[in-house]
Amino acid sequence: MSRIVELCQLVARAINHDTWDIPKISDGDRWRNIENPNLVENPNRVNGHDFFEDAIFRAKRIMERRGWKTELTDTQEQCHEHLIYQHFRLRCWKNS
């Protein structure tokens, strides 16, 4: 039997700035904010959502260090001419 964990993070990419949303974790049929964001916060950032820059990649490294297999995918969606939404999704699994 295998256990599966899924996380996602949305990035709004504009011309001069990227906004990284708080990463979410799946909880049955819904997504909720992760309970321990301190594990994936970027200590080099000081304002707003920038705390979560690259959080999905740090979550991937954490899960791999704990022996989980991981798969990271992303899709991009053009919002308007100067804004792109990038949806990252991280699937982690471990055989018990």
Side-chain angles (χ1 to χ4, degrees):
M1 179 175 190
S2 65
R3 295 174 284 167
I4 297 174
V5 174
E6 286 188 283
L7 297 104
C8 68
Q9 187 175 23
L10 173 68
V11 185
R13 298 193 182 279
I15 291 175
N16 297 321
H17 185 74
D18 294 343
T19 302
W20 293 76
D21 281 359
I22 298 169
K24 298 187 179 295
I25 188 166
S26 65
D27 184 6
D29 292 336
R30 65 185 185 94
W31 291 89
R32 62 178 171 78
N33 290 349
I34 61 170
E35 293 175 357
N36 46 357
N38 58 301
L39 294 176
V40 293
E41 285 177 355
N42 186 339
N44 300 317
R45 294 298 184 167
V46 293
N47 65 318
H49 287 295
D50 283 348
F51 280 127
F52 298 105
E53 183 178 22
D54 295 329
I56 197 83
F57 302 107
R58 285 191 296 284
K60 182 179 188 298
R61 289 192 298 271
I62 288 169
M63 296 303 279
E64 288 172 347
R65 279 196 305 263
R66 294 182 178 182
W68 292 71
K69 297 192 184 312
T70 63
E71 176 183 54
L72 182 66
T73 58
D74 75 298
T75 56
Q76 292 187 5
E77 168 189 352
Q78 188 83 39
C79 181
H80 56 72
E81 111 180 83
H82 299 299
L83 180 65
I84 295 173
Y85 289 130
Q86 189 165 9
H87 303 266
F88 288 101
R89 192 150 184 171
L90 176 64
R91 183 175 171 266
C92 309
W93 67 97
K94 190 176 202 181
N95 295 326
S96 29

